[in-house]
Amino acid sequence: MNSDEQQALLRKMAVMMKNGLKTQTEPFPETDKEFAAILGELRQLDPEDLKGKMVIGGFIDQPYGPDQQRCLECMYYLVHRQWCDLPELSVPVDPNWWCRLWRI
């Protein structure tokens, strides 16, 4: 994906969230088993199903929780690409967004 395509996809995601896309922020996976279950749901999707990835992943366009977690601190976030490198998601993300697959 070239940078123009990536930026277009990032904008599309931002608009979907701004327009009120309801995502599954809860339950947050506290165990590896719960985390793996969400990954299993994501693997069932067509890799091009952006909305499905966002809903199951629990994407929101702001930091989340009492610790104000955000993509920027997640182990899957690639800073120089503004990209989520979790294979089941593999989408551009803003550093101030969050999803329930957040990990440190």
Side-chain angles (χ1 to χ4, degrees):
M1 174 178 299
N2 69 39
S3 64
D4 289 339
E5 292 169 329
Q6 182 174 326
Q7 287 303 311
L9 189 56
L10 188 68
R11 283 190 299 275
K12 180 178 180 178
M13 293 171 71
V15 166
M16 289 169 71
M17 287 184 281
K18 185 179 181 203
N19 289 338
L21 179 67
K22 299 292 183 215
T23 66
Q24 299 172 9
T25 57
E26 301 291 336
F28 183 81
E30 298 290 340
T31 66
D32 287 341
K33 183 178 179 181
E34 293 167 339
F35 189 84
I38 295 169
L39 294 182
E41 286 183 63
L42 289 166
R43 288 183 193 120
Q44 299 292 323
L45 298 175
D46 179 309
E48 301 300 315
D49 184 353
L50 180 62
K51 183 178 178 182
K53 287 180 181 183
M54 292 176 67
V55 169
I56 294 169
F59 277 88
I60 59 171
D61 59 359
Q62 61 193 16
Y64 186 78
D67 295 329
Q68 293 294 284
Q69 298 167 338
R70 56 196 181 143
C71 291
L72 182 62
E73 289 87 26
C74 180
M75 66 184 277
Y76 299 112
Y77 182 70
L78 301 179
V79 175
H80 298 293
R81 286 188 59 203
Q82 288 193 326
W83 191 264
C84 177
D85 202 38
L86 183 64
E88 289 79 3
L89 291 176
S90 193
V91 292
V93 291
D94 182 280
N96 289 308
W97 291 356
W98 178 87
C99 90
R100 68 180 175 151
L101 295 165
W102 185 91
R103 291 275 198 231
I104 54 171

